[in-house]
């Protein structure tokens, strides 16, 4: 089995890397804030002193960092992955970034004798921890097959959706559904609250029917408890929505609903709530109605 590297040990990357270590793979890790690697090293991972060092020691470098410029820095910056890339080395980018930039990054890696897969993920921090992520992959079939043993450890729905960049575009599609659903859950629970319903009972009554959703079942109870800890932060959600709006604009597709949600999140960012979970969207609506969700219904 090939040795694999993992760059970017944030909420998602740390959990994914831990699942790879726990599955018995030979894993090398690197994170900008070095302390986030400590428990992985204790669990059996080796640590690299830079992304270049990591790439020089691994056939496959997986990566999960924040945004397009961060992927560029980790791959093409000083001591980046490109500096240590082995002949035939494969870079798998799990970050959610621009499809256009992805195609440019992939070309540069191919020019250096390597390969690239865009493999963004969905499923939240729970999906990353449980190894049940959805992974949407763009790139060549032979490289997807090469990556499959590792991807199967971190995800359950793994789909090769097309050529380079297609994974990122499917992720944009995914994000339209995520935020639309989040808005619907927020409006629904506020109506229940205003009508004096018990919110837990309400969720229990409907989540098994046609209105059920991951967002309702996982984030609904958190919203009722006013637990705003992030599975996915508002700031990262906005990063994704900018990518979605840019892609839709480029393709000439009006997405008014998603644009509206972007503006609601923008207001929450201005109120200093960017590091809260994306389910705090309900706070924008609470502000309009003067009603707050509460656990006692
Ligand atoms: P987090 O928890 O905010 O983690 C972000 C990670 O990316 C974290 O390890 C950061 O290192 C790393 N990062 C960010 N910028 C850089 C640069 N410039 N260079 C190197 N490393 C960097 O985000 P999530 O895990 O929730 O999400 C990650 C991606 O998956 C994102 O695209 C989502 O949309 C999906 P740090 O620890 O801050 O030093």
């Amino acid at each position: 089995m090939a040795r694999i590297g993992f760059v970017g040990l944030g909420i998602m990357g740390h959990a994914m890397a831990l699942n790879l270590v726990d599955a018995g793979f030979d894993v090398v890790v690197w994170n900008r804030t070095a302390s986030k690697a400590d428990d992985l090293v204790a669990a059996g991972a080796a640590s690299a002193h830079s992304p270049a060092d990591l790439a020089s020691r691994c056939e496959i470098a997986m990566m999960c960092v924040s945004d397009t410029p961060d992927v560029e820095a980790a791959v093409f910056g000083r001591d980046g992955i490109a500096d240590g890339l082995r002949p035939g080395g494969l870079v798998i980018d799990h970050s959610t970034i621009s499809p256009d930039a992805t195609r440019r990054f992939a070309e540069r890696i191919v020019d250096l004798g390597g390969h690239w897969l865009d493999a963004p993920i969905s499923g939240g921090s729970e999906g990353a921890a449980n190894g049940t992520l959805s992974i949407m992959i763009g790139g060549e079939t032979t490289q997807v097959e090469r990556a499959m043993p590792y991807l199967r450890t971190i995800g359950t729905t793994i789909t090769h959706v097309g050529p380079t960049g297609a994974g990122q575009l499917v992720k944009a599609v995914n994000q339209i559904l995520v935020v639309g659903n989040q808005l619907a859950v927020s409006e629904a629970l506020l109506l229940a609250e205003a009508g004096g319903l018990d919110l837990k009972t309400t969720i229990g009554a409907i989540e098994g029917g046609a209105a059920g959703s991951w967002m309702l079942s996982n984030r609904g109870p958190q919203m009722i408890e006013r637990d705003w800890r992030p599975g996915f932060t508002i700031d990262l959600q906005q990063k994704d929505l900018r990518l979605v709006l840019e892609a839709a604009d480029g393709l000439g597709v009006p997405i008014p609903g998603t644009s509206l949600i972007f503006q609601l999140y923008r207001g929450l960012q201005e109120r200093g709530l960017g590091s809260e979970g994306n389910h705090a969207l309900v706070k924008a609506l609470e502000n309009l109605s003067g009603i707050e969700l509460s656990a006692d219904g």
Side-chain angles (χ1 to χ4, degrees), residues 43-61:
S47 87
H49 57 76
S50 68
D53 176 39
L54 176 142
S56 72
R57 294 159 60 181
C58 300
E59 290 170 41
I60 298 179

Side-chain angles (χ1 to χ4, degrees), residues 29-73:
V29 293
W30 179 85
N31 195 61
R32 181 177 60 180
T33 307
S35 58
K36 289 189 193 169
D38 290 349
D39 61 327
L40 289 165
V41 170
S47 87
H49 57 76
S50 68
D53 176 39
L54 176 142
S56 72
R57 294 159 60 181
C58 300
E59 290 170 41
I60 298 179
M62 300 164 90
M63 170 174 52
C64 191
V65 297
S66 306
D67 201 352
T68 309
D70 306 310
V71 169
E72 185 161 27

Side-chain angles (χ1 to χ4, degrees), residues 280-293:
L281 179 63
V282 72
K283 290 186 178 180
L285 303 177
E286 288 177 339
N287 211 31
L288 293 175
S289 65
I291 300 164
E292 280 198 355
L293 298 185

